[in-house]
Amino acid sequence: MSRIPPYPLLLNLLLAPIVQAAEAPVSALELNPLVVSGSRQVSDSFSLPFSIDSVERQQISDGQLGINASEALNRVPGLVVQNRQNYAQDLQISSRGFGARSAFGVRGLKLISDGIPASTADGQGQAATFNLDTAERIEVLRGPASTLYGSNAGGVIQVFSRDPQGAPKVGAETLVGSDGMGRNHLSAEGAGEQAGFLLDASRMDTDGYRDHSAARRDQTFAKFTFRPDDDSKLALIYSNLEQNGTQDPLGQGWDAYKADPRSVAANAKLYNTRKSIDHQQLGANYERYLGAATLQASAYAGKRSVIQYLSIPRGTPANNNFGGGVVAFERNFHGGSLRWLQPVGEVDLVVGLDYDASEDDRQGYQNFVGDTLGVKGALRRDETDTAVSLDPYAQATWKFGDWTLQGGLRYSSVEIDVDDNYLVNGDDSGNRRYAQASPSLSLGYAFSPTLNTYISAGRGFETPTQGELAYAPNNAVGINYNLDPSTSTQYEAGLKALIGAGTRLNAAIFQIQTEDEIVVFANSNGRTSYQNAGRTLRRGFELGVESQLGQQWSASLAYTYLAAQYDSSFVSGTRSIDSGNDLPGVPRTTLFTELDWRPLDGVSTAIEGLYRSKVYVEDSNNARPAPAYSVFNWRVRFEQHYGVLTVHQLVRLDNLLDRQYVGSVIVGDGNNRYYEAAPGRSWFVGGGVSYRFE
């Protein structure tokens, strides 16, 4: 008996739900979503005089895997989101060039989840803590208005979880795919008139596309909402992220990448490079209406434990100025905010105060014991690092006739303190305080109800992170307290248009001038020191289009052109960096497109396309840049309702044409391993069921 080919069988399985689906009108795109970023109060995004985008729940979840924020954020112009295929290092996210240099995690951008910062006071953030399963929307604020969120706010990314609603229900999902991908997800929610609950838990396992890149990630989320009376509401939110022994394949040299994109640096296996994370936090948001005014308050606290095994060769260096090849810290963090919203005639006033603090009990160890490599050895660093920020701010929005004027001022102060307990190489204790006022002013004009224009200007600053302060240049003893913050002056002009009944267009041009840009001074043997490097200039254009093409078809486009260059020459280590060089990690052109077809109620399929131009990998622009690439993805999702049961299925194919390309780069890597290969053609199949109690 001949074997049945798998493709017709798979096709029959996919077509079965279509036969059961009934034709019905398809919901239209939300062309004017409500947002709170920038204005701090609920506003329609079309009328706001700055660049603000909202990625809605359907776009976050429909046909997506729910694993990485890159799934949702690629559709936002101005953003570059690179999935490194390395869960030990998190995503790389930059906004108009801010954050492109980050070697791990996210810096230069403010990350916020349900009003709780996912960025520490020194500016280092972790997008992995975002829970996409419960996200109602993701707001992305760019340009001068983002400076009102304090230091290291070259852009703002806020995730808002949905409020529980309706009769209690429970759900379960499972997903399998290429390279050993597996994900299981459980959920429960329900709400009455005065209280509600939302519970969510997931486990993701993968062998990884590259060798030595296996990971397991467990996430839990809980949200409890209360409405004590008609004028107040309270939300309690808990989240947890756990990754144990996540393998780190490190970067790839060009020859190794071309020979085998799945290859791994020899030292990664020799030292078993890996990282474990345990992150827990609890927060509360309270809102009360007092006549026309509104009081908003939030508080949070949490802890984060990290231990990371690096590949620094045994015996180098031989002095005591290096922190070793094992990094370990226990972080306790807490903070809160208080905000008062008050309308005064036609002016909406907002005054507030944000407080954030973290304390790291940090150690460094050798990554060997005798001839045994990749284990915790002798102590090489022991200190307590503290970062505290306290930021008062005020802003106002005035609408008069067809004009909208919005302005604000924030005074940010960040204090970083190091208490050195490892005195073999002297006492490195000390502190540094950074403070600056950040103003922003935006003016908008409505030519008509369907055509708005605006101009905006602002000034912001980025403090060094604790990691960037860790080592003084030239192998000197001590912390790099001579490192200054970078300051930026931003200008933006934009146009927002509603075309016909189903199309929205957002366009913006911008210029960003930065003084004292923080760049790498030297990077060797696991010790990276930083310096200030004069001026940079970024000029760009962004275009976003969303269009409902009849009942069944919709299309989206996000285009960014960004020329980000050094505007003055400087010396990095022993190299001279010329004015006019491109900033590494920033593609000049990025284009995302999507064509979505919903032929029947409960059936959706789409083609996604992504293009990025070449990316330089270090400041001199002499090393081979990561080449430009284009990739296409396809997805289909089915959903059926059987009384109290809802069932769905998912099929997804990424990199349809099986292109080999560099998905992300490690800027300025000291071993010249700049490149991180993206997967070839990948498949994913999943399904789920939910049951509603009546």
Side-chain angles (χ1 to χ4, degrees):
M1 182 176 180
S2 63
R3 183 168 176 252
I4 299 175
Y7 296 110
L9 180 61
L10 177 61
L11 184 61
N12 288 333
L13 291 174
L14 296 182
L15 290 176
I18 298 180
V19 176
Q20 299 179 39
E23 290 195 37
V26 179
S27 59
L29 284 173
E30 177 56 71
L31 298 180
N32 190 14
L34 299 177
V35 295
V36 299
S37 298
S39 63
R40 308 276 184 172
Q41 54 194 336
V42 177
S43 306
D44 62 278
S45 61
F46 184 74
S47 65
L48 292 173
F50 43 76
S51 292
I52 174 74
D53 285 271
S54 180
V55 184
E56 301 302 301
R57 181 178 175 183
Q58 178 178 286
Q59 297 168 319
I60 297 170
S61 61
D62 195 359
Q64 308 296 342
L65 306 180
I67 296 174
N68 295 300
S70 57
E71 301 166 19
L73 295 179
N74 276 326
R75 64 177 60 247
V76 180
L79 287 190
V80 175
V81 188
Q82 301 186 115
N83 183 353
R84 305 181 62 179
Q85 307 299 322
N86 182 350
Y87 289 92
Q89 301 296 348
D90 207 350
L91 299 176
Q92 288 180 333
I93 306 178
S94 64
S95 175
R96 296 184 177 178
F98 289 104
R101 182 176 296 279
S102 181
F104 57 90
V106 180
R107 61 102 63 233
L109 306 179
K110 187 75 73 175
L111 306 182
I112 305 171
S113 180
D114 286 318
I116 299 170
S119 303
T120 52
D122 69 334
Q124 193 75 47
Q126 304 293 330
T129 59
F130 288 161
N131 190 306
L132 300 179
D133 293 321
T134 61
E136 179 69 27
R137 69 186 189 279
I138 304 175
E139 295 180 10
V140 181
L141 174 66
R142 306 177 304 286
S146 64
T147 63
L148 293 177
Y149 282 78
S151 64
N152 296 283
V156 180
I157 300 175
Q158 291 206 66
V159 177
F160 296 86
S161 64
R162 68 179 187 271
D163 286 336
Q165 54 184 294
K169 66 178 181 179
V170 295
E173 292 180 309
T174 190
L175 172 79
V176 295
S178 296
D179 301 312
M181 172 63 72
R183 186 172 187 265
N184 296 302
H185 170 225
L186 299 174
S187 62
E189 71 174 290
E193 292 184 2
Q194 293 185 313
F197 69 93
L198 174 63
L199 305 174
D200 190 271
S202 66
R203 165 169 287 183
M204 184 275 296
D205 288 284
T206 179
D207 295 334
Y209 171 69
R210 293 175 57 200
D211 295 339
H212 196 76
S213 61
R216 165 172 286 184
R217 187 169 78 185
D218 293 317
Q219 282 187 283
T220 55
F221 180 91
K223 183 176 184 179
F224 301 93
T225 58
F226 305 93
R227 292 186 176 271
D229 52 54
D230 292 338
D231 294 324
S232 63
K233 56 184 178 180
L234 172 68
L236 301 178
I237 302 164
Y238 170 82
S239 64
N240 177 72
L241 167 71
E242 185 175 352
Q243 293 182 199
N244 289 321
T246 302
Q247 294 178 334
D248 185 352
L250 306 178
Q252 298 167 293
W254 179 257
D255 291 340
Y257 156 73
K258 289 298 291 182
D260 180 7
R262 292 181 181 266
S263 65
V264 62
N267 274 1
K269 291 186 175 181
L270 189 63
Y271 286 88
N272 189 19
T273 49
R274 62 199 186 277
K275 185 177 185 180
S276 295
I277 305 169
D278 187 4
H279 181 103
Q280 302 172 339
Q281 67 182 42
L282 177 66
N285 293 320
Y286 177 75
E287 185 172 69
R288 184 166 188 84
Y289 306 108
L290 302 166
T294 304
L295 173 67
Q296 297 174 342
S298 66
Y300 69 92
K303 61 185 300 183
R304 182 180 180 88
S305 301
V306 172
I307 183 166
Q308 183 172 13
Y309 292 80
L310 307 174
S311 61
I312 300 173
R314 181 180 59 171
T316 55
N319 57 53
N320 288 309
N321 295 338
F322 291 73
V326 180
V327 177
F329 68 81
E330 298 278 344
R331 173 179 298 158
N332 292 299
F333 57 92
H334 65 276
S337 66
L338 193 64
R339 186 180 305 123
W340 183 268
L341 295 81
Q342 176 73 58
V344 180
E346 295 182 339
V347 179
D348 292 323
L349 296 176
V350 180
V351 294
L353 180 69
D354 290 344
Y355 168 76
D356 302 293
S358 65
E359 182 179 275
D360 293 4
D361 182 14
R362 183 178 293 266
Q363 288 82 38
Y365 302 89
Q366 291 176 339
N367 55 353
F368 61 91
V369 175
D371 294 328
T372 304
L373 307 180
V375 296
K376 186 191 293 185
L379 182 70
R380 298 296 297 273
R381 191 182 189 114
D382 185 8
E383 62 193 38
T384 302
D385 300 339
T386 304
V388 178
S389 66
L390 182 66
D391 293 22
Y393 61 89
Q395 57 190 91
T397 304
W398 180 24
K399 295 185 177 181
F400 52 103
D402 296 326
W403 296 88
T404 300
L405 179 65
Q406 179 168 307
L409 180 68
R410 183 179 184 119
Y411 185 79
S412 298
S413 63
V414 180
E415 185 168 355
I416 296 177
D417 182 89
V418 175
D419 185 8
D420 188 10
N421 303 310
Y422 184 74
L423 304 178
V424 176
N425 58 351
D427 190 352
D428 292 341
S429 300
N431 64 72
R432 178 77 190 268
R433 182 176 182 269
Y434 305 96
Q436 182 174 302
S438 298
S440 177
L441 185 66
S442 303
L443 178 65
Y445 179 73
F447 291 105
S448 71
T450 59
L451 182 62
N452 290 343
T453 188
Y454 65 88
I455 56 174
S456 183
R459 185 168 175 82
F461 81 124
E462 289 186 72
T463 66
T465 65
Q466 289 175 311
E468 290 165 347
L469 290 169
Y471 297 110
N474 297 315
N475 295 334
V477 176
I479 308 300
N480 191 4
Y481 289 118
N482 292 323
L483 195 59
D484 293 324
S486 63
T487 58
S488 63
T489 303
Q490 304 189 39
Y491 304 95
E492 178 185 44
L495 191 72
K496 300 181 181 182
L498 296 173
I499 304 171
T503 299
R504 173 168 171 169
L505 179 149
N506 295 339
I509 57 173
F510 58 88
Q511 175 176 292
I512 305 168
Q513 296 169 299
T514 303
E515 301 283 344
D516 293 326
E517 187 85 36
I518 298 172
V519 302
V520 172
F521 174 82
N523 187 340
S524 63
N525 296 318
R527 178 185 171 117
T528 304
S529 57
Y530 294 82
Q531 65 174 343
N532 297 109
R535 301 184 305 273
T536 64
L537 177 63
R538 304 171 210 173
R539 291 173 173 164
F541 170 72
E542 296 170 358
L543 176 65
V545 180
E546 290 192 314
S547 184
Q548 187 73 44
L549 309 174
Q551 278 195 325
Q552 298 181 346
W553 294 88
S554 63
S556 299
L557 178 147
Y559 171 80
T560 305
Y561 175 80
L562 173 56
Q565 298 173 302
Y566 288 110
D567 203 30
S568 63
S569 300
F570 65 98
V571 176
S572 175
T574 59
R575 300 180 305 164
S576 178
I577 308 303
D578 295 330
S579 175
N581 281 9
D582 280 25
L583 268 65
V586 183
R588 287 215 168 191
T589 303
T590 301
L591 175 64
F592 172 86
T593 59
E594 179 185 83
L595 182 62
D596 187 293
W597 182 40
R598 298 172 182 270
L600 302 170
D601 187 36
V603 180
S604 66
T605 185
I607 290 287
E608 307 164 1
L610 178 64
Y611 168 80
R612 287 207 178 104
S613 60
K614 69 179 180 181
V615 176
Y616 288 101
V617 298
E618 44 77 44
D619 291 321
S620 74
N621 293 176
N622 290 328
R624 183 187 293 269
Y629 66 86
S630 298
V631 292
F632 296 92
N633 311 317
W634 171 77
R635 66 175 194 260
V636 61
R637 187 180 189 275
F638 304 103
E639 183 172 293
Q640 308 89 46
H641 300 276
Y642 307 99
V644 295
L645 284 177
T646 299
V647 182
H648 70 265
Q649 304 85 27
L650 162 72
V651 178
R652 184 178 179 90
L653 295 176
D654 286 344
N655 193 357
L656 281 171
L657 303 180
D658 199 23
R659 300 297 192 194
Q660 180 182 340
Y661 68 100
V662 176
S664 60
V665 300
I666 304 173
V667 172
D669 184 79
N671 296 296
N672 300 325
R673 295 194 296 256
Y674 305 113
Y675 315 98
E676 293 179 302
R681 186 184 296 116
S682 304
W683 61 270
F684 305 93
V685 178
V689 60
S690 65
Y691 178 86
R692 185 180 69 255
F693 296 90
E694 292 185 340

